[in-house]
Amino acid sequence: MDRSSKKARLDLGGQAAMSAYGAPAASGLNPLTMRPWSGRYHSILAKRKELPVFGFLDRLLDVKNNQTVVVEGETGSGKTTQIPQFLVADYAKQGKCVACTQPRRASRPCPSPSVAGEMDVNLGDQVGYSIRFEDNTGPQTMLKFMTDGMLLREAMTDPFLERMSVIRKDLRCVVMSATLDAEKFQEYFDGAPLLRVPGRTHPVEVFYTPEPERDYVEAAVRTAAQIHACEAAGDILVFLTGEAEIEDVCARLRGEAAKVGPERGNSVVYPLYSSLPPRAQKRIFDAAPGPKFAGAMPGRKCVVSTNIAETPLTIDGIAVAVDPGFSKQKVYNPRIRVESLLVSPISRASAKQRAGRAAPHAAGQVLRLYTEASFKAELQEQTYPEILRSKMSNLGRHMSELPLDPQLAKLLLASPEYKCSNEALSVAACMSVPLIFQRPKHKQREADDCKAQFAHVDGDHCTLLNAYHAYKHHGSDAGWATENFLSHRSLASADSVRNQLSRILERLQVPMVSTDFSSPDYYVNLRKCVVAGNFLQVAHLGRAART
């Protein structure tokens, strides 16, 4: 490739990109929209060219000569945001699409807005994302960020993935990660070429505790508070395991920040977990607050996150990562047929990912709240793949059409037989969103009293239905939900999920029927339907157990 051709490819917005998209070469026009470039496009492009991945563009485009390319890219190399754009310029022709997948739901929307900005298009048009119960794409979408599960669902409706030019001789697959077992993937893909992209140009200093911590949550709060009170300016990223834990720690850190003297800058604390609304997730990218007064120390941002921050989320300004060494992992027990989220030690690969989040643009530190001996002897090298920790029972043509666990899918498909389709749909929707009942620590008794007004003697499923009906009866009012310790966010999400599931059931020609509310069989029929979907969880009290 000659120098001029290479430069044109690097621009990905100049004449080469225009011809790649099949649009007429018109100077100053975005080939995707045929509108002039915005004022900020070229300034963003200049920053993109500084990313390490740009120096490896020619080798990356070996994907033309190989069906699979394995990319091992360091954190901050630009692989998540830039490589999909490179591929769009070469392969998104004739209505085709490039899919960029990631295993975790919450990480998918995050890169798409920035990528849409870099390509100077509106999110949802040429660049979009698709996650469970949320599809922000359109007929013009050329680059789609999506979860692995959504790619599988797309393969169900379009087995040959015609829009993505795969499952044929023109299959093109780029496998990339910062902690990839590259040789294993090369061997699996018949000797696929390996491209190693350096990323980190700033050192990260690693510190361990001299003794094991008895309470990792308490240690995380103490460490983050001490950093804010004593250390120089720089944002903090704290890893924890779940929503309740994170919200509690956020409240405690805000309280600790209020105790420091006026010479320290303001501190803002942001949570980050999968059930957080997208708008709240985006707050982690906000700039840290300024100094309290002229000449004072700048403010500080603290992000408290689950392991979703291990994924390609580069949060500018992070100077210190606090790693307690735990995360919640999904584990399936085939003997009792129960899938659980268990707090488990992370792997050394995850620890490396967490360290990589510290100081993406300057030297930084990672504070590991466990001993170096534990890191070397007790943490496994790689996290076990999720497919080895999951149940593999998503069977049946109609059940597979529903983006639900098999039990809930069976419940919905069996509901017409028990004349409770509408009720089963509401229950399934409420079970597909974060818990609708809230129980703050400082108001647990009041929350329990409010929940009791919805409680039903026949169990939690009927209680969920009562709460949802009450919410709809009060016009989906957020104030009423808050007063009754119900999560308006979860209930609104359940509404959206219910509408989507209803459209799928209509397509499958599942009749929507209900038993009259005044009938004594109203709740009985719903209980029968619940049993039909969850028959594997039915237990019989044997004679030996009685004694």
Side-chain angles (χ1 to χ4, degrees), residues 220-279:
V221 173
R222 184 177 66 248
T223 302
Q226 188 174 4
I227 292 170
H228 178 57
C230 304
E231 299 296 326
D235 298 338
I236 307 169
L237 173 60
V238 181
F239 287 95
L240 289 174
T241 65
E243 175 181 348
E245 198 173 79
I246 287 173
E247 291 291 359
D248 176 57
V249 168
C250 285
R252 294 173 63 181
L253 288 177
R254 293 183 186 111
E256 292 292 330
K259 298 177 183 177
V260 301
E263 72 281 358
R264 311 300 293 184
N266 289 317
S267 174
V268 291
V269 184
Y270 297 130
L272 179 62
Y273 46 84
S274 61
S275 58
L276 203 64
R279 181 179 298 178

Side-chain angles (χ1 to χ4, degrees), residues 73-96:
E74 290 287 339
T75 299
S77 62
K79 59 185 181 297
T80 303
T81 57
Q82 306 308 309
I83 289 179
Q85 295 185 61
F86 298 161
L87 299 177
V88 165
D90 269 34
Y91 294 104
K93 305 172 186 176
Q94 301 173 353
K96 303 298 183 183

Side-chain angles (χ1 to χ4, degrees), residues 99-104 108 144-149 151 176:
C100 183
T101 69
Q102 200 73 29
R104 296 190 181 97
R108 276 309 84 217
K144 181 187 294 189
F145 290 86
M146 61 202 311
T147 59
D148 295 344
L151 181 62
M176 54 189 182

